[in-house]
Amino acid sequence: MSKLFSSFRLRSTTFRNRIFVSPMCQYSALEGVPNDWHLVHLGSRAVGGAGLVMVEATAVAAEGRISPHDLGLWNDRQAEAFAPIARFIAEHGAVPAIQLAHAGRKASTDAPWLSGSPLRPEQGGWQVVAPSAVPFSRESPMPRELTVTELDGIVQSFTDAAKRALAAGFKVVEIHMAHGYLLHQFLSPLTNRRTDDYGGSLENRACLPLRVAHAVREVWPHNLPLFVRISASDWVEGGWDLAQSVALCRWLKETGVDLIDCSSGGLTPDARIPAGPGFQTPFATAIRQEAGIAVGAVGLITDAAQAEQIVATGLADAVLLARELLRDPYWPLHAARELGAEVEWPKQYLRAKPA
Protein backbone atom coordinates (compact mmCIF):
# COMPACT_ATOMS: atom_id res chain seq x y z
CA MET A 1 0.00 0.00 0.00
CA SER A 2 1.11 3.56 -0.70
CA LYS A 3 2.13 5.51 2.40
CA LEU A 4 1.67 8.76 0.48
CA PHE A 5 -2.01 7.92 0.06
CA SER A 6 -2.57 6.71 3.60
CA SER A 7 -4.62 8.92 5.89
CA PHE A 8 -2.94 11.16 8.43
CA ARG A 9 -4.50 12.43 11.66
CA LEU A 10 -3.60 15.45 13.78
CA ARG A 11 -5.84 16.13 16.78
CA SER A 12 -9.38 15.46 15.49
CA THR A 13 -8.58 16.25 11.85
CA THR A 14 -7.98 13.47 9.36
CA PHE A 15 -6.28 14.20 6.04
CA ARG A 16 -7.24 11.78 3.29
CA ASN A 17 -3.62 11.59 2.13
CA ARG A 18 -0.24 13.19 2.79
CA ILE A 19 -0.15 15.51 -0.21
CA PHE A 20 -0.56 19.10 0.91
CA VAL A 21 -0.91 22.17 -1.31
CA SER A 22 1.78 24.63 -0.26
CA PRO A 23 0.72 28.27 0.23
CA MET A 24 1.52 30.17 -2.97
CA CYS A 25 0.91 33.91 -3.35
CA GLN A 26 -1.34 34.82 -6.28
CA TYR A 27 -1.11 38.63 -6.02
CA SER A 28 -4.70 38.82 -7.26
CA ALA A 29 -6.74 40.37 -4.44
CA LEU A 30 -8.27 43.82 -4.09
CA GLU A 31 -8.10 45.32 -0.59
CA GLY A 32 -7.22 41.88 0.75
CA VAL A 33 -10.51 40.30 -0.35
CA PRO A 34 -10.43 36.90 -2.12
CA ASN A 35 -12.36 36.57 -5.36
CA ASP A 36 -13.29 34.09 -8.09
CA TRP A 37 -9.65 33.54 -8.99
CA HIS A 38 -8.92 32.23 -5.50
CA LEU A 39 -12.03 30.05 -5.48
CA VAL A 40 -11.09 28.39 -8.76
CA HIS A 41 -7.36 28.20 -8.01
CA LEU A 42 -7.79 26.62 -4.57
CA GLY A 43 -10.93 24.66 -5.37
CA SER A 44 -9.37 22.90 -8.34
CA ARG A 45 -6.60 21.54 -6.10
CA ALA A 46 -9.21 20.09 -3.76
CA VAL A 47 -11.02 18.51 -6.72
CA GLY A 48 -7.60 17.29 -7.86
CA GLY A 49 -7.22 15.08 -4.80
CA ALA A 50 -4.89 16.87 -2.37
CA GLY A 51 -5.30 16.08 1.33
CA LEU A 52 -4.91 19.70 2.46
CA VAL A 53 -5.29 22.92 0.48
CA MET A 54 -3.61 25.92 2.06
CA VAL A 55 -4.38 29.53 1.18
CA GLU A 56 -1.36 31.71 0.42
CA ALA A 57 0.30 34.04 2.92
CA THR A 58 -2.63 36.10 4.20
CA ALA A 59 -1.77 39.35 5.92
CA VAL A 60 -2.95 39.96 9.48
CA ALA A 61 -2.69 43.73 8.93
CA ALA A 62 -2.79 45.96 5.86
CA GLU A 63 0.83 47.00 6.35
CA GLY A 64 1.79 43.33 6.62
CA ARG A 65 1.04 42.56 2.98
CA ILE A 66 3.89 41.71 0.65
CA SER A 67 2.14 43.72 -2.06
CA PRO A 68 -1.06 45.76 -2.40
CA HIS A 69 -2.48 42.73 -4.23
CA ASP A 70 -2.14 40.27 -1.32
CA LEU A 71 -4.93 38.57 0.57
CA GLY A 72 -5.78 39.78 4.06
CA LEU A 73 -7.73 38.73 7.11
CA TRP A 74 -7.78 41.91 9.16
CA ASN A 75 -11.48 42.61 8.72
CA ASP A 76 -14.79 40.75 8.61
CA ARG A 77 -15.45 41.52 4.95
CA GLN A 78 -12.40 39.48 4.04
CA ALA A 79 -13.46 36.64 6.32
CA GLU A 80 -16.91 36.52 4.74
CA ALA A 81 -15.38 36.26 1.26
CA PHE A 82 -13.19 33.35 2.39
CA ALA A 83 -16.16 31.33 3.66
CA PRO A 84 -17.35 29.90 0.30
CA ILE A 85 -13.76 29.01 -0.61
CA ALA A 86 -13.18 27.08 2.62
CA ARG A 87 -16.57 25.41 2.21
CA PHE A 88 -15.84 24.32 -1.37
CA ILE A 89 -12.46 22.86 -0.40
CA ALA A 90 -14.04 20.86 2.42
CA GLU A 91 -16.95 19.68 0.27
CA HIS A 92 -14.46 18.11 -2.12
CA GLY A 93 -12.59 16.13 0.49
CA ALA A 94 -9.60 18.31 1.33
CA VAL A 95 -8.90 20.07 4.61
CA PRO A 96 -9.11 23.86 4.18
CA ALA A 97 -6.10 25.68 5.66
CA ILE A 98 -4.78 29.23 5.68
CA GLN A 99 -1.37 30.74 6.33
CA LEU A 100 -1.29 33.90 8.45
CA ALA A 101 1.58 36.29 7.84
CA HIS A 102 3.17 39.69 8.28
CA ALA A 103 5.81 40.67 5.72
CA GLY A 104 7.70 43.16 7.90
CA ARG A 105 10.55 44.78 5.96
CA LYS A 106 9.67 42.77 2.81
CA ALA A 107 6.27 44.45 2.52
CA SER A 108 5.16 47.17 0.11
CA THR A 109 6.44 45.68 -3.15
CA ASP A 110 4.87 45.35 -6.56
CA ALA A 111 3.54 42.08 -7.94
CA PRO A 112 6.35 39.89 -9.38
CA TRP A 113 5.08 40.09 -12.95
CA LEU A 114 4.97 43.90 -12.79
CA SER A 115 8.38 44.58 -11.30
CA GLY A 116 8.56 43.10 -7.80
CA SER A 117 10.28 46.31 -6.77
CA PRO A 118 9.64 48.26 -3.57
CA LEU A 119 6.75 50.71 -3.91
CA ARG A 120 7.05 54.31 -2.81
CA PRO A 121 4.04 55.93 -1.07
CA GLU A 122 3.09 57.78 -4.25
CA GLN A 123 2.96 54.38 -6.00
CA GLY A 124 0.61 52.91 -3.42
CA GLY A 125 3.29 51.72 -1.02
CA TRP A 126 3.70 52.32 2.70
CA GLN A 127 6.25 52.52 5.50
CA VAL A 128 7.70 49.10 6.25
CA VAL A 129 8.56 47.89 9.75
CA ALA A 130 11.03 45.39 11.19
CA PRO A 131 12.74 44.28 14.40
CA SER A 132 15.62 46.61 13.58
CA ALA A 133 16.35 49.35 11.05
CA VAL A 134 18.05 47.02 8.54
CA PRO A 135 16.80 47.14 4.93
CA PHE A 136 16.29 43.97 2.88
CA SER A 137 18.54 45.12 0.03
CA ARG A 138 20.31 48.22 -1.25
CA GLU A 139 17.20 49.06 -3.28
CA SER A 140 14.80 48.52 -0.37
CA PRO A 141 13.52 51.27 1.92
CA MET A 142 14.80 51.62 5.46
CA PRO A 143 12.32 49.91 7.79
CA ARG A 144 11.17 51.53 11.00
CA GLU A 145 12.06 49.61 14.16
CA LEU A 146 8.95 48.37 15.94
CA THR A 147 8.24 49.49 19.49
CA VAL A 148 7.36 47.04 22.25
CA THR A 149 3.82 48.40 22.29
CA GLU A 150 3.53 47.73 18.56
CA LEU A 151 4.66 44.16 19.13
CA ASP A 152 1.67 43.67 21.42
CA GLY A 153 -0.51 44.89 18.57
CA ILE A 154 1.04 42.42 16.14
CA VAL A 155 0.31 39.52 18.50
CA GLN A 156 -3.27 40.73 18.71
CA SER A 157 -3.48 40.97 14.91
CA PHE A 158 -2.51 37.32 14.56
CA THR A 159 -5.07 36.20 17.14
CA ASP A 160 -7.83 38.28 15.56
CA ALA A 161 -6.99 36.82 12.14
CA ALA A 162 -7.08 33.29 13.57
CA LYS A 163 -10.56 33.93 14.97
CA ARG A 164 -11.71 35.15 11.56
CA ALA A 165 -10.14 32.10 9.90
CA LEU A 166 -12.19 29.87 12.19
CA ALA A 167 -15.36 31.81 11.46
CA ALA A 168 -14.68 31.43 7.73
CA GLY A 169 -14.52 27.65 8.06
CA PHE A 170 -10.80 26.85 7.98
CA LYS A 171 -9.67 23.76 9.88
CA VAL A 172 -5.92 24.43 9.97
CA VAL A 173 -4.03 27.66 10.59
CA GLU A 174 -0.35 27.99 9.72
CA ILE A 175 1.76 30.80 11.19
CA HIS A 176 4.36 32.09 8.74
CA MET A 177 7.78 32.28 10.43
CA ALA A 178 9.78 31.74 7.23
CA HIS A 179 11.12 33.31 4.03
CA GLY A 180 12.41 36.51 5.57
CA TYR A 181 9.05 37.85 6.71
CA LEU A 182 8.50 39.53 10.04
CA LEU A 183 8.63 36.62 12.49
CA HIS A 184 11.65 35.18 10.69
CA GLN A 185 13.24 38.63 10.89
CA PHE A 186 12.93 38.45 14.67
CA LEU A 187 14.47 34.97 14.77
CA SER A 188 17.57 35.65 12.70
CA PRO A 189 20.55 37.49 14.21
CA LEU A 190 21.18 38.98 10.78
CA THR A 191 18.02 41.08 10.97
CA ASN A 192 17.35 41.29 14.70
CA ARG A 193 19.84 43.67 16.30
CA ARG A 194 17.66 44.73 19.19
CA THR A 195 19.07 45.19 22.67
CA ASP A 196 15.80 44.78 24.58
CA ASP A 197 13.99 41.58 25.63
CA TYR A 198 13.24 40.77 21.98
CA GLY A 199 16.84 40.68 20.77
CA GLY A 200 20.21 39.17 21.53
CA SER A 201 19.98 35.57 22.78
CA LEU A 202 18.10 32.84 20.93
CA GLU A 203 15.47 32.87 23.67
CA ASN A 204 14.94 36.61 23.23
CA ARG A 205 14.87 36.50 19.44
CA ALA A 206 12.29 33.72 19.63
CA CYS A 207 10.14 35.66 22.08
CA LEU A 208 7.77 37.33 19.60
CA PRO A 209 7.29 34.24 17.38
CA LEU A 210 6.54 32.15 20.47
CA ARG A 211 4.16 34.79 21.82
CA VAL A 212 2.30 34.69 18.50
CA ALA A 213 2.15 30.88 18.50
CA HIS A 214 0.91 30.79 22.09
CA ALA A 215 -1.72 33.47 21.47
CA VAL A 216 -3.02 31.77 18.32
CA ARG A 217 -3.13 28.39 20.07
CA GLU A 218 -5.17 29.99 22.85
CA VAL A 219 -7.91 31.10 20.43
CA TRP A 220 -7.65 28.21 17.95
CA PRO A 221 -9.87 25.28 19.04
CA HIS A 222 -8.07 22.51 20.88
CA ASN A 223 -9.34 19.87 18.44
CA LEU A 224 -7.92 21.63 15.35
CA PRO A 225 -4.27 21.49 14.23
CA LEU A 226 -1.87 24.43 14.24
CA PHE A 227 1.07 24.50 11.79
CA VAL A 228 4.14 26.74 11.66
CA ARG A 229 6.29 27.30 8.56
CA ILE A 230 9.95 27.99 9.27
CA SER A 231 13.05 28.64 7.24
CA ALA A 232 15.39 26.07 8.76
CA SER A 233 18.43 27.95 7.45
CA ASP A 234 19.24 31.42 6.15
CA TRP A 235 22.00 29.83 4.03
CA VAL A 236 24.24 32.66 5.26
CA GLU A 237 27.13 32.31 7.70
CA GLY A 238 26.21 33.66 11.13
CA GLY A 239 22.50 33.53 10.37
CA TRP A 240 19.62 31.34 11.45
CA ASP A 241 20.45 27.65 11.15
CA LEU A 242 19.23 24.12 11.77
CA ALA A 243 20.41 23.91 15.39
CA GLN A 244 18.44 27.03 16.29
CA SER A 245 15.47 25.69 14.31
CA VAL A 246 15.45 22.48 16.35
CA ALA A 247 15.42 24.49 19.59
CA LEU A 248 12.59 26.69 18.29
CA CYS A 249 10.55 23.66 17.20
CA ARG A 250 10.88 22.07 20.64
CA TRP A 251 9.45 25.26 22.14
CA LEU A 252 6.71 25.38 19.50
CA LYS A 253 5.74 21.81 20.32
CA GLU A 254 5.40 22.77 23.99
CA THR A 255 3.20 25.66 22.91
CA GLY A 256 0.79 23.30 21.15
CA VAL A 257 1.97 23.46 17.53
CA ASP A 258 1.25 20.19 15.72
CA LEU A 259 3.33 20.28 12.54
CA ILE A 260 6.38 22.16 11.27
CA ASP A 261 6.36 23.07 7.57
CA CYS A 262 10.10 23.02 6.82
CA SER A 263 11.35 25.45 4.20
CA SER A 264 14.49 27.62 4.08
CA GLY A 265 15.97 30.91 2.90
CA GLY A 266 14.30 34.17 1.98
CA LEU A 267 15.91 36.42 4.58
CA THR A 268 18.58 38.00 2.39
CA PRO A 269 18.82 38.48 -1.38
CA ASP A 270 22.43 37.24 -1.54
CA ALA A 271 21.99 33.81 0.09
CA ARG A 272 23.53 30.97 -1.92
CA ILE A 273 20.95 28.18 -1.84
CA PRO A 274 21.94 24.76 -3.22
CA ALA A 275 18.54 24.06 -4.72
CA GLY A 276 17.92 20.58 -6.12
CA PRO A 277 15.31 17.81 -5.90
CA GLY A 278 14.15 17.50 -2.29
CA PHE A 279 16.99 19.72 -1.07
CA GLN A 280 15.08 20.86 2.04
CA THR A 281 13.85 17.42 3.09
CA PRO A 282 16.89 16.79 5.39
CA PHE A 283 15.80 19.80 7.46
CA ALA A 284 12.39 18.23 7.97
CA THR A 285 13.92 14.89 8.90
CA ALA A 286 16.28 16.41 11.47
CA ILE A 287 13.48 18.40 13.10
CA ARG A 288 11.19 15.36 13.17
CA GLN A 289 13.87 13.29 14.88
CA GLU A 290 15.36 15.90 17.22
CA ALA A 291 12.29 17.93 18.18
CA GLY A 292 9.83 15.02 18.17
CA ILE A 293 7.17 16.82 16.15
CA ALA A 294 5.33 16.05 12.89
CA VAL A 295 6.86 17.72 9.83
CA GLY A 296 6.07 18.52 6.24
CA ALA A 297 8.80 18.47 3.58
CA VAL A 298 8.70 21.08 0.83
CA GLY A 299 10.95 22.13 -2.03
CA LEU A 300 11.38 20.65 -5.53
CA ILE A 301 9.27 17.59 -4.80
CA THR A 302 7.94 16.81 -8.25
CA ASP A 303 7.29 13.12 -8.89
CA ALA A 304 5.25 10.42 -7.24
CA ALA A 305 8.10 8.02 -6.43
CA GLN A 306 10.06 10.82 -4.76
CA ALA A 307 7.08 11.88 -2.63
CA GLU A 308 6.33 8.26 -1.71
CA GLN A 309 9.93 7.66 -0.63
CA ILE A 310 9.92 10.73 1.62
CA VAL A 311 6.90 9.64 3.65
CA ALA A 312 7.40 5.86 3.40
CA THR A 313 10.89 6.03 4.89
CA GLY A 314 9.91 8.45 7.66
CA LEU A 315 11.80 11.46 6.33
CA ALA A 316 8.62 13.50 6.79
CA ASP A 317 4.96 12.97 7.66
CA ALA A 318 3.64 14.81 4.62
CA VAL A 319 4.88 16.57 1.50
CA LEU A 320 3.92 20.07 0.42
CA LEU A 321 3.90 20.67 -3.31
CA ALA A 322 3.97 24.12 -4.87
CA ARG A 323 4.98 24.68 -8.50
CA GLU A 324 4.20 21.09 -9.46
CA LEU A 325 0.58 21.67 -8.40
CA LEU A 326 0.50 24.90 -10.40
CA ARG A 327 1.52 22.88 -13.43
CA ASP A 328 -0.96 20.11 -12.70
CA PRO A 329 -3.83 20.58 -10.22
CA TYR A 330 -4.65 16.87 -10.62
CA TRP A 331 -1.17 15.64 -9.72
CA PRO A 332 -2.50 13.58 -6.77
CA LEU A 333 -4.87 11.62 -9.03
CA HIS A 334 -2.06 10.91 -11.50
CA ALA A 335 0.37 10.02 -8.69
CA ALA A 336 -2.13 7.54 -7.23
CA ARG A 337 -2.33 5.69 -10.53
CA GLU A 338 1.48 5.62 -10.80
CA LEU A 339 1.80 4.20 -7.28
CA GLY A 340 -1.05 1.74 -7.65
CA ALA A 341 -3.18 3.43 -5.00
CA GLU A 342 -6.95 3.40 -5.29
CA VAL A 343 -8.37 6.88 -4.65
CA GLU A 344 -11.78 8.38 -5.10
CA TRP A 345 -12.24 10.54 -8.17
CA PRO A 346 -14.82 13.35 -8.34
CA LYS A 347 -18.01 11.73 -9.58
CA GLN A 348 -18.23 14.34 -12.32
CA TYR A 349 -14.89 13.07 -13.70
CA LEU A 350 -15.42 9.31 -13.31
CA ARG A 351 -15.94 8.81 -17.05
CA ALA A 352 -12.32 9.96 -17.54
CA LYS A 353 -10.79 7.74 -14.86
CA PRO A 354 -8.27 5.33 -16.42
CA ALA A 355 -9.28 1.69 -16.24
Side-chain angles (χ1 to χ4, degrees):
M1 291 184 63
S2 167
K3 183 72 171 180
L4 185 64
F5 285 93
S6 65
S7 62
F8 178 42
R9 186 177 178 88
L10 290 171
R11 297 188 184 249
S12 66
T13 299
T14 299
F15 307 90
R16 61 184 171 185
N17 59 50
R18 296 163 186 261
I19 302 167
F20 294 176
V21 178
S22 193
M24 294 175 280
C25 290
Q26 300 295 293
Y27 304 100
S28 299
L30 180 62
E31 296 180 350
V33 179
N35 53 48
D36 289 348
W37 174 265
H38 301 94
L39 172 62
V40 174
H41 163 67
L42 296 162
S44 64
R45 273 84 197 160
V47 171
L52 171 144
V53 175
M54 191 177 299
V55 178
E56 66 198 73
T58 301
V60 299
E63 65 274 14
R65 292 171 293 170
I66 303 166
S67 82
H69 317 286
D70 282 22
L71 288 172
L73 203 48
W74 65 84
N75 64 44
D76 292 342
R77 179 182 169 218
Q78 294 158 346
E80 290 165 2
F82 272 119
I85 297 174
R87 183 170 60 249
F88 186 92
I89 292 169
E91 286 173 350
H92 291 275
V95 174
I98 190 166
Q99 185 187 71
L100 303 181
H102 191 300
R105 70 175 189 169
K106 291 180 74 174
S108 189
T109 63
D110 213 344
W113 53 78
L114 295 175
S115 72
S117 301
L119 293 173
R120 298 186 300 274
E122 61 270 23
Q123 297 173 303
W126 55 90
Q127 172 67 57
V128 297
V129 296
S132 305
V134 181
F136 174 66
S137 69
R138 285 178 293 181
E139 296 76 29
S140 300
M142 181 66 70
R144 180 177 58 77
E145 182 173 310
L146 288 157
T147 67
V148 171
T149 300
E150 287 175 315
L151 299 186
D152 295 339
I154 286 169
V155 174
Q156 188 63 52
S157 294
F158 273 94
T159 57
D160 290 345
K163 291 176 184 177
R164 291 190 179 99
L166 181 65
F170 290 101
K171 302 302 181 185
V172 172
V173 154
E174 177 171 275
I175 303 170
H176 202 351
M177 298 187 186
H179 298 164
Y181 298 121
L182 184 65
L183 297 182
H184 183 187
Q185 292 162 30
F186 270 88
L187 290 169
S188 177
L190 299 178
T191 44
N192 185 343
R193 302 180 185 176
R194 299 175 74 99
T195 57
D196 61 7
D197 291 343
Y198 291 91
S201 68
L202 172 59
E203 291 81 358
N204 284 6
R205 285 182 278 117
C207 184
L208 181 66
L210 290 173
R211 281 189 63 194
V212 169
H214 178 76
V216 171
R217 183 74 270 180
E218 285 287 302
V219 301
W220 194 243
H222 177 76
N223 64 315
L224 296 181
L226 175 62
F227 292 6
V228 168
R229 171 165 274 192
I230 67 164
S231 281
S233 174
D234 289 338
W235 300 107
V236 176
E237 187 175 352
W240 184 257
D241 58 21
L242 179 58
Q244 295 174 90
S245 295
V246 169
L248 173 67
C249 292
R250 287 173 177 155
W251 295 331
L252 289 169
K253 181 181 178 182
E254 293 172 0
T255 302
V257 171
D258 300 288
L259 181 141
I260 305 297
D261 178 357
C262 300
S263 190
S264 71
L267 187 82
T268 64
D270 57 350
R272 301 183 68 176
I273 302 175
F279 73 106
Q280 295 173 151
T281 300
F283 292 136
T285 305
I287 288 168
R288 186 176 193 258
Q289 293 174 346
E290 297 181 37
I293 190 169
V295 297
V298 63
L300 294 178
I301 299 169
T302 58
D303 64 69
Q306 177 194 20
E308 176 71 22
Q309 186 265 343
I310 288 170
V311 296
T313 60
L315 301 181
D317 298 280
V319 292
L320 291 103
L321 274 64
R323 289 174 176 84
E324 193 61 26
L325 281 170
L326 292 183
R327 289 186 279 267
D328 180 6
Y330 306 101
W331 188 94
L333 299 180
H334 302 148
R337 186 183 184 206
E338 183 177 334
L339 296 172
E342 183 60 36
V343 297
E344 185 177 350
W345 274 50
K347 58 182 180 294
Q348 297 90 338
Y349 291 178
L350 281 175
R351 71 185 112 176
K353 184 179 180 180

